Structures are given as structure tokens and as C-alpha cells.
Amino acid sequence: MSLIELHNIKKSYKLDGFDLRILKGINLSIEKGEFVAIMGPSGSGKSTLMNILGCLDTPSSGNYILDGQNIEKLSPDELAHIRNQKIGFVFQGFNLLPRTTAIENVELPMVYASVKEEIRKNKAKDALEKVGLKSRMYHLPNQLSGGQQQRVAIARAIVNEAPLIFADEPTGNLDTKMSIEIMKLFTELNKEMGRTIILVTHEEDIAAYADRIIKIVDGEINSDIKNPQIK
Amino acid sequence: MIDAKTTFSIALRAIKANKSRSVLTSLGIIIGVAAVIIMLAIGNGAQLSIQEDMKTMGSNILTVRSGTSTSGGQRMGHGTQPSMKAADGDAIQERIKEIYLAAPLLNDTAQLVHGNANWSTSVTGTDNRYFQIKEWNLAYGRFFSVTDLKNAAKVVILGSTVVGELFGDMDPLGKTIRIKGIPFTVIGVLETRGLSSNGSDQDDIVYIPLSTAQKKVIGIAFPDMVKSITLQAVDAKSTYTAEAKIRTLLRQRHNLGNHKEDDFVIRNLTQMMEMRENSSKVLTILLGSIASISLLVGGIGIMNIMLVSVTERTREIGIRMAIGAKSWDIRLQFLTEALVLSLIGGFIGVVCGLSGVWLVSHFSSFKAVVSLNYIILPFSFSGMVGLFFGFYPAYKASLLNPITALRYE
Ligand SMILES: Nc1ncnc2c1ncn2[C@@H]1O[C@H](COP(=O)(O)OP(=O)(O)OP(=O)(O)O)[C@@H](O)[C@H]1O
Ligand SMILES: [Mg+2]
């Protein structure tokens, strides 16, 4: 069985009485240890799909089976548990807690996993070091640049050692040099630690790091190919 | 589940982030707790002063005075028409089993002189039963002897105020003072009792044998006359049953026909004290509950602000949920915040309340006495108010859906 199985996933929003169909029947399986890039034009439904995959949102219809569990049948608290234990999520809009230092933001997933404070602090420091932000540990989000905030969000997603990492345009605010650093980090997590990584990107250069590239157009999978030349 | 220390630090941070708002929110609790403490202290003080009165008055006391009462029950100039005899008291003590002791009293104001010092005070003729009823001991000296009482000896027992006025630091025992010009030998000094609850000095008084008062000091209209008799019943219940028996006995002794009114007035002091005590208890409860209402209103204030806070922090809640916070984690976070807010308010309220009690007892005629219970009660009540009114906002927060919360602007 695959780690992720999507069967005919549809998502629509009701807007002024009209059904706005965003996802129009997505079928997809992703194996454990895969590194997948999702590409597609703006508004095609990539983030919507990621939110469903990340157990944050529920599809209007269709089945999502994650690690053998039918997501539809789980309670909000069980979903929270899965998000906490199995998933690291990098949001497109960072979603850091305001008035909370970088290190405390990174600690947050471990707070809800009841990890001891000492261990929490050490792991958070390590994660921030990996994204090159050790010197900014005690800065508040509004004292950080967009790229720095994005890296805090990445640190938060990898800190809990979740087997699944979802990253919605994780390099959107980074310069080329920093983007390469982050992609190297993801590659390392994928190749050496066996984490499954699914990321959304607009850039061919970034997608080139993945070993599978899925293109979404207008809420449907347009192409799903093995990357011929992995970086 | 999230640990307690982190929960508290999150709550404290949220409270600090909105300092002025937090202060205003807890103001309701502060005022409520302070009001409850002050009100309970005043009620408590009233009860304590009644209890003190009861102690100095003696227990299970009735008094009988000369005088008449109208049919409406209003006492009219009692003591104006003397009718009581010391023998009435003896008869009551002897023949009514509920009554344990009867002390006759004949008193008047008189001028006391010792050397150059003089002092005007109440001179009371009585016998040793009076001190027994009042549970009043001597500081030094002796009570009246049987011969003193029988032979109308010119001996006097002084209250401590009178000693101070007439003798200063000198030892009064065995000295002679003049009462209405008649020389008396000081045989004893009573223990100091202090002020009564109505502010009169209980030690500003002297006692002489009843026979001496009747024969030599105070003018009487007929032999063996007294102004009143103080009676002690065997227990509180007997004060009620004794009353009717005393009336019957006295009417018989005074030869009052059926159509005639009583020429004496019986007062059940124990009953009056019990009534006073009950009404002060009611007053305490009343004051306390009115003050509790302000505490409740303070709780509503907390609920109001917590609801605003939940709405304001919808995105924060979304982030926490997205990262793995369960509904109880969110509930606990907001409950803790409400609890901390109200307990801080409660603590400041206790401080303000205690200062208020100090002010009241120093600068007003009310007696206000704090007891530990009356601090713990409103403080823990403020905590319960916080929990109660914090629950709804916390519950509401925990019901949010993570994705809609994240999208909240
Ligand atoms: N809550 C919502 N209500 C109505 N429409 C929505 C809602 N959320 C998303 N949409 C719509 O769904 C569509 C897909 O949005 P989505 O965020 O998935 O796009 P995307 O592919 O991630 O785009 P981008 O590359 O710009 O991030 C958009 O047209 C958007 O307007
Ligand atoms: Mg998007």
C-alpha cells in the first residue's frame, strides 16, 4: 500500500450560490520516501490540494488514505495528532505566531507533542542552525525578513522529525543561494533520512531536485512524470 | 497534552501583551473581591462585638425593673414609679427553678472624693451575686463579707477607672474615700473590662453593699426598695420559660388585680442578644451577597474580553491547531488565561480589601474584623468565576476549524 492514496478527490467552494470547483477529481499515490514536486499556474489548486494532503482541510468528495488510515473517518483531535506526529507543514504564508520568538515558534510542534523543555530547546536550536538562523533565534517574526521567516517556518516543519514534509513554495521568498541551501537540506532529509517530501513550486530549478514532478492545471493532474535529470 | 508550565507562560504572555486591557478586565474582579472582604469584615466585626457584649453581660440574663409598660409593648419611663424590693429577687431565686441567681441593684450618681481628687460616677448597691452573674473577678482585695451586707458596712469595691481617677498610681486598698460626704473603706478593685460596644466605660463604677446604699447613700421611697434585679437562668432556653413565671410571681407579690397593669418590666437580655446576633448574621450574608454580585459582574467582564480575545486571535488558534494542538490544548490555554486573569484580580482584590478594612476600622465607627476564611472565600470565588466565565470563550475557540481559522483576517 502506498503512503498516500487519493481517490477522485474533489473540492469546491460555494460562492454566491455558485459551485466553484477547484479540484476536479484528483487520483494520486505517493510512496514512502518519494520526493515530489507539484507545479502549476497560480490559482490551479495546488495549495488547496496541499491543505487536504496535510490533513488541514477536508475534500468535498473522494477518499484520502494516509498510511492506511481513511482520513474522512477521523475526529478533529485525531487529525491534530496526525498533523503533529506525521506531518511537517511549510505554509505558503509562513503562519508564524506573532509576538513569539523564532525558537519558540520552532518549539511549538514539540510543545503539543509533550516533549520536555530541555530537549525541545536543543532540537529547535539544531533546526534553526540547519536553516542558517542560529543568530536570529530570539528574534520575533516582525524583526525578521520574509526569507528569514520562511526559514523559521521550514525549521518548524522539520523539527518534529515527521516522516512526511509538505512545503508550499518553501523557496518563494529566498534568493538563489539560500534556495539551493534549503533544497540541499530537503534532499538530505529525503535521501539520507528517508523522509517523504512533497513541495509546491513555480520554479523549474527547484522542481529539478525532486524525483517526480506533477503538473496541475485547473484542478486536474495534467502530467505526472519521473524527473529525467535529478539534481 | 501540553504541560502546565508552558500553559501558564502562554497565558501570562497573552495577558502581558494587552496590559491595559488586562488591568481593566480584572478591575471588576478586584472591586468585587475587595467589596466582599470589606463587607464580610464589617459583618464579622458586628457579630464579634455582640459576642463580646454577651461575655461581659453574663450568660442567660433577664432583668426586672420598676415601671409600667403600655399595651402596645412600648416601655414608658420605667423606674419612675419604684415598685421592686430586694425580697422580690430573693423570692424569684427561691421559687422559680429556672432562675439560678438574683442580684438586687440600687444605683445613683454620686460625687466621690479622695484627698484633693474628686470624681462623679455611678454608685451601685448590690451583693456578691451580681459579680457572680457578670463573671467579674477582683484584680485584688475582697468581695463583700456577710457582715458587710448585714450591717450596712461602709465599704466599697472600685472599678479600675475610678481607681485611676482618685488614686493615680497609689494602692487604694484600705484607704478611705467619701461618697456623698460619707467615708467608705476600699476593700477591693475589679478587673478591667474596657469599653462596652456602645462606647461606655464599664470600669467607671463603684459598688457598695445593698443595705448601705438603701440606708445611708441613696434615698428610697419604701423599705428594701431596689431599682432593678438582674437574674441569671440556668440555661438560654430557661430565660424564655422563666419570664412568664416571674410575671405571675411578681404580680402576686405586688397585689396587682386582674385589671391592673404590671408595675415592673421584664427584659430578656439573652433573647435580645440572640436577636441582635441573628440580625447581624443576616446583615453579613446580605452585605456579602450584594458584594458577590459585583464579583459576578466582574466575571462577565472577563468572559466578554476573552470572547474578544478569541476572535482577535483566531489566526493564532489556527496556527496552533495546524501544528497539532488538540481541542483541549486550546481550551486549556484560554481557560488558564481567564483563570490567571481572575486570580491576579483576586489577589489585588485581597490586598485592596485588607487596606479597605484597615481604613474602615480606623476611620469609621464600624468595627471591621478580617478572618482567614473571609479572605480565602472571595479569593477562591474569584478563581471559580474565572473558570466559569472563561469556559464558554475557551470552548468556542476549541471548536474552530484549522483552515478557516488560518484564513481569518
Ligand atoms: N475559501 C475559499 N473560498 C473560495 N475560493 C477559494 C477559497 N480558497 C481558495 N479558493 C480558490 O481556489 C482556487 C485555488 O486556490 P489555491 O490557493 O489552491 O491556488 P494555488 O494553486 O495554490 O495558487 P498559487 O500558486 O497562487 O498559490 C483559487 O482560485 C482561489 O480563489
Ligand atoms: Mg498556493
Side-chain angles (χ1 to χ4, degrees), chain A residues 13 51 56-57 77 80-81 83-84 91 93 95-97 99-100 104 108-109 111-112 114 117 120 156, chain B residues 1-3 5-6 13 17 315-316 319-327 329 333 401-403 406-407:
Chain A
Y13 293 105
N51 289 339
L56 287 162
D57 207 354
D77 278 356
H81 184 72
R83 287 196 296 270
N84 187 246
F91 296 91
N95 280 332
L96 299 178
L97 284 185
R99 298 184 299 275
T100 308
E104 283 174 308
L108 205 59
V111 165
Y112 292 115
S114 302
E117 191 174 347
R120 231 154 64 193
R156 187 178 62 186
Chain B
M1 195 117 112
I2 179 168
D3 62 284
K5 194 186 154 203
T6 317
R13 178 175 317 174
R315 261 181 75 83
E316 177 195 322
I319 294 169
R320 290 182 183 280
M321 285 179 152
I323 273 158
K326 299 194 170 120
S327 40
D329 292 321
Q333 178 185 336
N401 166 290
I403 202 75
L406 279 173
R407 289 222 182 89

Side-chain angles (χ1 to χ4, degrees), chain B residues 16-299:
Chain B
K16 276 191 216 152
N18 265 311
K19 275 197 201 73
S20 54
R21 188 163 86 182
S22 304
V23 169
L24 287 175
T25 309
S26 21
L27 204 59
I29 297 285
I30 294 174
I31 293 170
V33 168
V36 172
I37 287 181
I38 295 170
M39 292 305 152
L40 290 180
I42 290 174
N44 191 29
Q47 259 168 304
L48 282 182
S49 66
I50 292 167
Q51 279 161 15
E52 260 166 46
D53 279 3
M54 284 170 92
K55 237 186 253 159
T56 54
M57 193 185 75
S59 42
N60 316 323
I61 303 296
L62 299 140
T63 63
V64 185
R65 292 169 171 276
S66 306
T68 52
S69 64
T70 67
S71 51
Q74 198 179 10
R75 283 176 282 108
M76 296 287 288
H78 57 252
T80 44
Q81 285 175 299
S83 63
M84 298 295 297
K85 291 181 174 183
D88 289 333
D90 295 335
I92 291 169
Q93 181 181 323
E94 212 167 279
R95 295 184 35 198
I96 298 176
K97 67 175 193 307
E98 285 91 342
I99 300 299
Y100 171 59
L101 286 172
L105 293 166
L106 178 63
N107 64 296
D108 199 1
T109 321
Q111 190 77 9
L112 275 53
V113 181
H114 173 256
N116 295 327
N118 67 80
W119 184 247
S120 173
T121 189
S122 166
V123 175
T124 303
T126 186
D127 59 35
N128 292 333
R129 285 177 288 188
Y130 184 69
F131 305 110
Q132 210 178 330
I133 291 172
K134 296 276 255 181
E135 289 164 34
W136 204 351
N137 295 321
L138 289 166
Y140 44 89
R142 64 171 178 85
F143 285 119
F144 305 125
S145 68
V146 181
T147 36
D148 288 341
L149 293 162
K150 208 167 161 191
N151 303 340
K154 286 177 274 182
V155 293
V156 63
I157 296 173
L158 307 179
S160 61
T161 302
V162 179
V163 175
E165 293 296 336
L166 292 183
F167 292 93
D169 291 335
M170 266 196 295
D171 179 8
L173 272 193
K175 302 268 164 33
T176 303
I177 64 167
R178 290 177 176 276
I179 301 172
K180 285 190 174 169
I182 306 160
F184 276 78
T185 308
V186 178
I187 58 165
V189 173
L190 290 161
E191 277 178 349
T192 303
R193 283 235 147 148
L195 296 183
S196 74
S197 68
N198 59 32
S200 65
D201 181 358
Q202 300 182 84
D203 302 307
D204 188 9
I205 197 161
V206 302
Y207 293 99
I208 58 176
L210 176 68
S211 48
T212 319
Q214 285 170 331
K215 288 173 189 157
K216 295 170 181 166
V217 181
I218 299 166
I220 49 176
F222 52 85
D224 203 24
M225 180 193 115
V226 293
K227 284 199 178 156
S228 67
I229 297 167
T230 296
L231 303 167
Q232 183 170 41
V234 291
D235 54 37
K237 225 178 95 195
S238 302
T239 59
Y240 297 94
T241 47
E243 217 179 306
K245 294 187 183 175
I246 295 166
R247 170 163 294 113
T248 315
L249 180 63
L250 287 180
R251 285 187 69 86
Q252 191 188 321
R253 286 178 62 84
H254 293 189
N255 296 317
L256 298 173
N258 284 338
H259 57 281
K260 272 202 171 162
E261 275 183 39
D262 291 350
D263 58 358
F264 54 87
V265 179
I266 304 169
R267 287 210 292 164
N268 188 337
L269 294 193
T270 298
Q271 182 190 18
M272 284 164 58
M273 281 296 173
E274 274 175 2
M275 277 161 62
R276 253 180 80 191
E277 204 188 8
N278 281 338
S279 65
S280 90
K281 261 183 201 154
V282 170
L283 191 74
T284 307
I285 293 168
L286 203 70
L287 289 175
S289 10
I290 289 170
S292 303
I293 290 173
S294 65
L295 197 51
L296 224 57
V297 173

